Amino acid sequence: MYISCPCPPGTPSKTFEQESQPPRTLFLHQNSPWTMSGVVSNSLEGPDGGRPGWVAVLALWTRNLMVTGITKGLGIMLPILQIQLTSQMWIIGWIASLTTATSGLVAPFGGLVSRRFGAGYVMMTCGVMMSAAAIAGSFVENSLQLALLYTLLAGTAKGISNVVAKEAVGRCFTKNYATASGIARTGYSVGLIVFAPLVQLFLDTYGWRGTMLLVGAITMHSVASGAVMVATMQPELDQSNAYQTLPQTEHTNSSSAHESTLRSHCGSLWKFVSKNFEVGLLLNSRYWLVAVISCCTTYAYLMWIVYFVSQAQSNGFTLEEAGSFVTIAGIANLFGTISQGLITDRGVMSSWTLVAVCLVMSSVSYLASSLLTSYWPMMTSAVLILFSDGVLSCQTDVLIKQVLGVELLAGAFGWIALKVTLLLVALGFLPGLVYDLTGSYTAAFLLIGSVQAVPLVPLLMLRYSQR
């Protein structure tokens, strides 16, 4: 039986040098089991969002909110967990870092599980895993048990769900992708605003075990958002791998047959890995350019989060003043996240120009912040940095889709998340080490500002190659 499978209708066109692929012809046997139950493929493409698109945005927004709740909740409970679990503070804090590292290590598997089981079912499963980590955490007796739960359950769910949900949004939106991405990312900001006082209220009322139970129950809302995705985005059978070559029946000697079988198995394994993990991206120069942009901007932002309060205090500001910088800058971050979509999707400014402006603005602010000793200049620096991060965190996803196309989104998101994790593990200590060696944050923030400026080079290279 011959089945002609053209590309799904509504799929966004390829960008840059990518050319449209001709229809594929698959050869399936009439009674092949693949015609009855195939590999699940997400049917997410649409002209520009629609109901499936906004359901995907809701799922990503909910996921971001719940991940912030899990992480922020653990951070607020650090002092009481240290006492109750009779553990050192660094061990409890290390659990949060280990959870983040695990999420980056498992991220490349996001595309595989999404194609195999469907985005909605994967989001439901990840919601159950995050909720189970918090609920089971209320019964732990030592820090090792808590570390295992958060690393294996919450860390894995965090990494997989991020790739799956972002890919779903990217497949559904073309014209308004930046706006949709910005709306979904506000889940982080809302989580920071809501969970800090909420977890503190739970602690004062129910203790740390009751707080974990309640946080786990709230996190279960991710399951509901995944269920809505299942109901809205009906999966279809992907039979692209349905045709299987039957083995030859000719008689050959045992050694040559064994060698041929071994080569066949190795070839099949390589094809499986290459197809499901998008290994070809690692040989794509455009991928490496957008990866550098994403990794550098993420690294600079996270280093600012870690070291800014200490740096502000070393410049003569009080802890309360440093806290006010972070609070106002957080509002600016939320504004940048929302406004960037309106700017680019409405044609006010192109993504390339907006990213370049924010890279320059934030780099200068990083470089200047270590030298500022007055309140309002420091406030301005913090606002510009977090406003730029709100823009860049969304616009880098837009650039990834524009450069690589929608079909490579899952692989790109997964491999970039892995690279960010490796970068943080390898160089996350560097600004602190520079401070210990010099006794000042000036050189440390000069380093961070320089890292933030590096993406200007690959951005210009991509822009030039587009012309």
Side-chain angles (χ1 to χ4, degrees):
M1 179 177 65
Y2 299 90
I3 300 177
S4 179
C5 297
C7 295
T11 303
S13 58
K14 302 288 185 179
T15 56
F16 300 105
E17 285 96 356
Q18 295 179 342
E19 297 178 356
S20 59
Q21 299 295 325
R24 296 174 297 175
T25 301
L26 307 180
F27 301 89
L28 301 177
H29 191 274
Q30 183 71 27
N31 297 322
S32 171
W34 288 94
T35 61
M36 302 300 294
S37 59
V39 181
V40 176
S41 172
N42 300 316
S43 180
L44 299 178
E45 295 86 350
D48 196 53
R51 184 181 177 188
W54 292 111
V55 167
V57 171
L58 174 63
L60 180 56
W61 185 91
T62 305
R63 178 261 172 202
N64 293 340
L65 177 69
M66 299 310 161
V67 165
T68 304
I70 288 284
T71 307
K72 189 65 177 179
L74 184 64
I76 294 175
M77 289 187 286
L78 281 180
I80 192 170
L81 288 176
Q82 179 195 12
I83 297 173
Q84 295 295 323
L85 301 180
T86 61
S87 178
Q88 294 181 342
M89 179 66 76
W90 73 267
I91 296 178
I92 304 298
W94 176 71
I95 295 175
S97 300
L98 192 61
T99 301
T100 302
T102 303
S103 68
L105 294 176
V106 302
F109 293 89
L112 172 62
V113 297
S114 178
R115 287 188 291 269
R116 182 63 183 87
F117 301 105
Y121 290 108
V122 174
M123 294 301 294
M124 291 177 64
T125 304
C126 290
V128 171
M129 292 172 66
M130 284 191 289
S131 179
I135 293 174
S138 66
F139 299 98
V140 301
E141 299 296 334
N142 55 63
S143 56
L144 176 60
Q145 295 173 354
L146 185 64
L148 290 175
L149 285 172
Y150 267 71
T151 300
L152 297 179
L153 293 179
T156 301
K158 179 181 175 182
I160 296 294
S161 62
N162 184 49
V163 173
V164 172
K166 287 171 68 174
E167 185 203 18
V169 174
R171 284 184 174 273
C172 290
F173 286 91
T174 53
K175 179 181 177 182
N176 295 312
Y177 178 47
T179 300
S181 179
I183 292 174
R185 188 174 171 79
T186 59
Y188 287 118
S189 302
V190 175
L192 290 173
I193 295 171
V194 170
F195 273 98
L198 189 62
V199 171
Q200 190 61 58
L201 175 63
F202 289 163
L203 278 174
D204 296 338
T205 307
Y206 303 104
W208 73 273
R209 294 187 186 274
T211 299
M212 281 197 162
L213 286 172
L214 290 169
V215 170
I218 294 173
T219 307
M220 194 66 75
H221 284 82
S222 296
V223 181
S225 64
V228 176
M229 288 183 71
V230 172
T232 305
M233 304 172 183
Q234 295 298 329
E236 62 184 12
L237 296 182
D238 180 8
Q239 297 172 334
S240 59
N241 291 327
Y243 177 71
Q244 297 179 351
T245 304
L246 294 177
Q248 296 287 341
T249 58
E250 298 178 0
H251 296 285
T252 57
N253 60 64
S254 58
S255 60
S256 61
H258 176 74
E259 182 180 354
S260 176
T261 302
L262 180 61
R263 284 199 303 265
S264 176
H265 287 172
C266 291
S268 298
L269 177 61
W270 171 250
K271 288 180 180 179
F272 174 82
V273 172
S274 178
K275 175 179 175 59
N276 290 284
F277 293 94
E278 305 292 356
V279 179
L281 281 172
L282 303 181
L283 302 177
N284 188 331
S285 60
R286 292 180 178 277
Y287 160 76
W288 284 102
L289 293 176
V290 293
V292 168
I293 296 173
S294 182
C295 290
C296 289
T297 53
T298 303
Y299 175 83
Y301 167 71
L302 292 178
M303 293 302 98
W304 186 90
I305 292 294
V306 172
Y307 296 106
F308 173 73
V309 172
S310 298
Q311 181 257 333
Q313 288 181 289
S314 69
N315 284 12
F317 297 99
T318 65
L319 183 61
E320 290 75 15
E321 289 175 329
S324 67
F325 297 150
V326 175
T327 300
I328 301 301
I331 297 174
N333 180 267
L334 179 61
F335 179 74
T337 301
I338 297 174
S339 63
Q340 55 82 31
L342 300 176
I343 294 173
T344 58
D345 290 341
R346 300 299 178 269
V348 177
M349 188 182 296
S350 68
S351 294
W352 306 94
T353 304
L354 183 59
V355 170
V357 169
C358 288
L359 284 174
V360 172
M361 186 167 58
S362 57
S363 299
V364 173
S365 299
Y366 280 123
L367 296 172
S369 61
S370 60
L371 305 175
L372 301 176
T373 56
S374 300
Y375 183 87
W376 287 111
M378 180 62 88
M379 176 68 80
T380 303
S381 172
V383 166
L384 291 177
I385 288 173
L386 284 204
F387 174 85
S388 298
D389 173 74
V391 173
L392 294 172
S393 60
C394 299
Q395 286 297 317
T396 50
D397 291 348
V398 174
L399 291 180
I400 290 171
K401 182 179 178 181
Q402 289 181 354
V403 171
L404 300 176
V406 68
E407 295 302 329
L408 298 178
L409 276 180
F413 289 147
W415 285 114
I416 288 175
L418 176 60
K419 288 176 176 59
V420 170
T421 297
L422 296 178
L423 182 63
L424 291 175
V425 171
L427 300 177
F429 69 93
L430 195 55
L433 177 63
V434 172
Y435 172 77
D436 291 337
L437 294 176
T438 63
S440 170
Y441 276 106
T442 301
F445 271 72
L446 288 175
L447 171 66
I448 296 174
S450 301
V451 171
Q452 183 74 341
V454 168
L456 286 170
V457 177
L459 182 70
L460 292 176
M461 293 174 65
L462 286 170
R463 183 58 174 167
Y464 175 78
S465 65
Q466 182 195 16
R467 294 181 180 276

